[in-house]
Amino acid sequence: MAFVKCKQIAELMAGFNKDWFFSGGWAIDLFLGKETRDHYDVEIGIYRKDQVELKRYLATWDFRKVVHGEFLTWSDEYIELPVHEIHAKGAGGDLEVLLNETDCENWIFRRDRRITYPLKPFIRFTEAGLPYLTPEIVLLYKAKNTREKDHMDFKSVKDALDAKKPQWLKQAISIHEPTHEWLKVLK
């Protein structure tokens, strides 16, 4: 059965009453409707403002925040930038949670606040209802410190991006990583 890990996480998150979505390579594969490579972890995203709700929802889980590459216990403090990554372990497995910046109408790129994206199409859904981060934003994140799997994800999805998405991605990467090799391919 395809997307087994994603379906398990969706079951776990079914009662969470805030927006959440798959990120990283899983988001790419959900967009494409097929698993294109092995995934060694599961990353989900939430809005930063919902972090306390997530901790309440997964109250029995052990949470760690990542600060300068070090895993530290996350007490009950509100996590501010630059910290954006949380790891949780519980009966449902391991989960990497990425905190996303927003205002009332837009997602805001934490690495460069000039780069924004409207919230309305920010989260997409598969036919089965699995939420995932729109692929052009996933690729923007992958443009920094690009690894082989990131290149694979880019090649898998670049031609499937609809309408003006490649233009948005090209503009965003031009701001964020102006010498990135993907800029030569994007139209």
Side-chain angles (χ1 to χ4, degrees), residues 10-181:
E11 286 177 22
L12 171 71
M13 297 298 291
F16 185 60
N17 65 353
K18 302 293 183 182
D19 288 331
W20 70 275
F21 44 89
F22 290 98
S23 299
W26 280 117
I28 296 294
D29 283 359
L30 288 166
F31 170 73
L32 294 171
K34 61 184 177 182
E35 293 185 35
T36 61
R37 63 175 176 83
D38 290 334
H39 299 275
Y40 301 102
D41 57 2
V42 178
E43 302 164 308
I44 68 166
I46 64 170
Y47 301 140
R48 182 174 296 277
K49 65 183 177 65
D50 297 330
Q51 62 182 279
V52 174
E53 290 296 322
L54 178 69
K55 195 166 187 192
R56 274 191 215 126
Y57 182 71
L58 299 175
T60 61
W61 287 47
D62 177 49
F63 283 89
R64 306 256 182 237
K65 60 186 176 182
V66 180
V67 180
H68 304 296
E70 188 177 349
F71 290 79
L72 304 173
T73 300
W74 177 26
S75 301
D76 289 331
E77 79 278 10
Y78 187 84
I79 297 174
E80 299 280 357
L81 279 173
V83 178
H84 62 275
E85 183 178 341
I86 301 166
H87 288 253
K89 290 185 183 223
D94 297 342
L95 196 58
E96 182 178 340
V97 181
L98 304 171
L99 303 176
N100 285 262
E101 312 310 310
T102 60
D103 60 20
C104 294
E105 298 176 8
N106 297 292
W107 164 84
I108 303 165
F109 191 40
R110 68 177 161 72
R111 296 177 186 159
D112 190 322
R113 297 183 68 82
R114 295 175 295 170
I115 302 172
T116 62
Y117 196 93
L119 280 179
K120 187 169 183 168
F122 176 73
I123 300 173
R124 294 185 179 195
F125 293 88
T126 65
E127 288 181 13
L130 297 173
Y132 63 92
L133 180 59
T134 193
E136 56 274 20
I137 293 176
V138 174
L139 292 174
L140 174 62
Y141 279 116
K142 289 175 171 283
K144 183 173 180 153
N145 303 319
T146 310
R147 302 157 294 183
E148 184 56 36
K149 68 180 183 176
D150 302 323
H151 287 296
M152 287 173 55
D153 288 343
F154 176 75
K155 289 175 188 172
S156 294
V157 80
K158 70 176 175 57
D159 293 330
L161 293 175
D162 35 306
K164 297 180 181 180
K165 307 302 185 196
Q167 294 169 357
W168 180 91
L169 179 59
K170 185 173 187 174
Q171 180 181 14
I173 291 175
S174 295
I175 294 168
H176 177 54
E177 293 289 328
T179 61
H180 200 283
E181 63 188 274

